[in-house]
Amino acid sequence: MIDEPFAPAANWALETDDSFVLSKAGCLETLVKYETGGAIKPMLASSWKQTAPTTWNIKLRPGVRFQDGTPLDAKAVVGALKHALAAKTPAPGFSPETIDGLAAVNGSTVQITTPGPDALLPYRLASPNTGILAPKAYSGTSINPKGTCTGPFRITKEIPQQAIQLKRNSSYWGGSVKLTSAEVRFIADGAKRATQVQTGEAQISRKLSVPSVQDLKGNDAVTVQTEQLPRTTELVLNNKKAPFANEKVRQAFQAAIDTKAITNAVYQGAGRPAVGPFAPGEPWTPEEAVPVKADPAKARALLAEAGVKPGKIKVSLIAYNEGSGFSDLAAVIQQELKAVGVKATIRTGDYASVEPDLLSGGFQAALLSRNHLGDMPDPAGYLTADYTCKGNYNLSHYCDPKTDLLIEKAAATKDSKARYADYAKVAAELQSRAVDVFLAHETESVAVASGARGFTVHPYYTLTANLSLGTK
């Protein structure tokens, strides 16, 4: 039994986060596998080669079959990827803006062309958004993953918004699968997820809150695995909506918020004060990056420069329920803003209930936890989605043609050192202009029953062929 915080919300549309649910459940697989640390290696593809600046040939792994018995061939892969491109809102890492054409060269080779030189095509193919399902999965009005995956587990039953039940794929191309069956439950309440591991109702519970981690200390039946994530909690500011169209107001909010106090009080050592969108130690983080020092006097002065009189600014702050510690975080921010003459009201709700306002721009400020390697295992996907003029997850409504060109240039650069240097320039610009207020670099804590073997914390994979249950 595995407890996950987020339920599928889009009828298994693979261009959404539902693809991550399927990937973590051991059902959906991609052509390329993302290894912890950012490396990639073959998965459903056996190899890939850039035959021209805008052309890649992808060789498929031989002998793979979908769970319905049909073969994984070039025609099926092209059909699946074309479906991804045809989505109303394609995933940012794999969209008509990044992919120009798809063709089956022969039964085992897929050719992908890009609008311009793209050194990151294999990374794009590691995202669960590019997962490959059997042709019949796309024949209805919505995606049907039952019996159409290639992974070690097949879905046998879905209880909408509550759980999916799975059984071992006895014909798995990757070899033997240790578990005979599994269930993934979707439980938004972090305390309940932690309790279920303590009581034996679940063997793995992801994204524990800090209080839950503290409660589990000393419990010999449960271990807690904590990993630094490529994930940052941020206060998203709508740059096109008053008062945040004014850069000085954004910088005032940045100066008013004490990220060190937040990480101590809310995360209790399970996070670090943010230095921008990327964390210290990542290869694309500016070398000189440090947390912005809280300075209420500076914040008040910046508001005055912006023409804002003390006590005359009101802001609505969204804090969705699934965000770890977001209710406490919102309360702390509310008090820090009050100290500089800003009245903040807090709106809460499930993410699904607030997402329409986030996507439409009908909000002022919102807390968000964002994985910058979620769209693909390279920051280009995140930066393109969140901070380019046409980015499809640009909640900040930030638009700077110079930033667009720099991100485009980086994606075409083969040399990783040069590419990372460009990402660092973008990160520095976002921080200096306070496009958003970056708050904390996150860790993920997962409760694991002592009998569970073969589990590691990973943003794409939870239920794997190597996972097993036993005794100490």
Side-chain angles (χ1 to χ4, degrees), residues 77-366:
V77 170
V78 168
L81 294 179
K82 283 186 175 180
H83 191 277
L85 291 178
K88 183 178 180 180
T89 306
F94 196 84
S95 69
E97 283 71 41
T98 60
I99 304 299
D100 204 34
L102 294 158
V105 177
N106 52 46
S108 61
T109 304
V110 173
Q111 187 173 88
I112 302 178
T113 55
T114 57
D118 187 352
L120 300 177
L121 192 278
Y123 291 84
R124 300 183 190 282
L125 298 177
S127 168
N129 297 132
T130 64
I132 308 299
L133 296 174
K136 78 174 186 181
Y138 309 100
S139 60
T141 56
S142 61
I143 296 292
N144 182 8
K146 294 180 182 178
T148 59
C149 294
T150 58
F153 292 91
R154 57 184 179 86
I155 297 173
T156 57
K157 184 178 181 180
E158 178 184 358
I159 306 172
Q161 300 301 301
Q162 296 183 50
I164 52 174
Q165 297 173 357
L166 307 106
K167 287 188 176 180
R168 171 196 293 159
N169 176 8
S170 57
S171 301
Y172 182 49
W173 63 266
S176 62
V177 182
K178 294 182 179 179
L179 290 177
T180 58
S181 62
E183 183 173 19
V184 178
R185 289 180 178 174
F186 308 115
I187 301 174
D189 187 330
K192 185 176 180 179
R193 293 198 304 274
T195 298
Q196 288 204 339
V197 175
Q198 289 179 295
T199 59
E201 295 176 79
Q203 285 71 50
I204 296 172
S205 179
R206 290 188 58 252
K207 292 187 72 67
L208 299 181
S209 65
V210 171
S212 294
V213 172
Q214 300 300 321
D215 290 343
L216 291 172
K217 284 185 175 180
N219 188 330
D220 292 338
V222 180
T223 60
V224 177
Q225 295 187 20
T226 299
E227 297 288 338
Q228 193 68 46
L229 294 177
R231 179 179 286 278
T232 300
T233 296
E234 58 194 70
L235 179 63
V236 177
L237 306 177
N238 189 336
N239 287 209
K240 283 196 174 181
K241 197 175 185 71
F244 301 117
N246 189 316
E247 185 173 314
K248 289 189 182 297
V249 173
R250 301 198 303 269
Q251 291 172 333
F253 272 58
Q254 186 185 59
I257 295 172
D258 189 339
T259 57
K260 184 177 181 180
I262 282 172
T263 53
N264 289 337
V266 179
Y267 293 93
Q268 300 177 32
R272 294 180 288 173
V275 301
F278 308 133
E282 293 188 277
W284 34 73
T285 303
E287 291 183 5
E288 70 282 2
V290 294
V292 174
K293 186 177 180 180
D295 190 340
K298 180 181 178 181
R300 286 189 286 268
L302 284 165
L303 289 173
E305 289 178 36
V308 178
K309 295 181 180 180
K312 296 298 182 181
I313 182 171
K314 297 180 181 180
V315 172
S316 174
L317 167 60
I318 292 175
Y320 55 87
N321 296 336
E322 295 92 337
S324 180
F326 274 16
S327 59
D328 292 337
L329 181 55
V332 171
I333 291 173
Q334 184 182 50
Q335 291 304 308
E336 292 180 336
L337 293 177
K338 182 179 180 181
V340 298
V342 175
K343 182 179 180 180
T345 57
I346 300 171
R347 171 188 168 191
T348 61
D350 294 341
Y351 179 79
S353 70
V354 302
E355 186 181 55
D357 281 346
L358 295 179
L359 295 178
S360 68
F363 76 104
Q364 290 179 298

Side-chain angles (χ1 to χ4, degrees), residues 446-460:
V446 180
V448 183
S450 59
R453 301 285 185 272
F455 170 78
T456 56
V457 180
H458 194 287
Y460 292 0

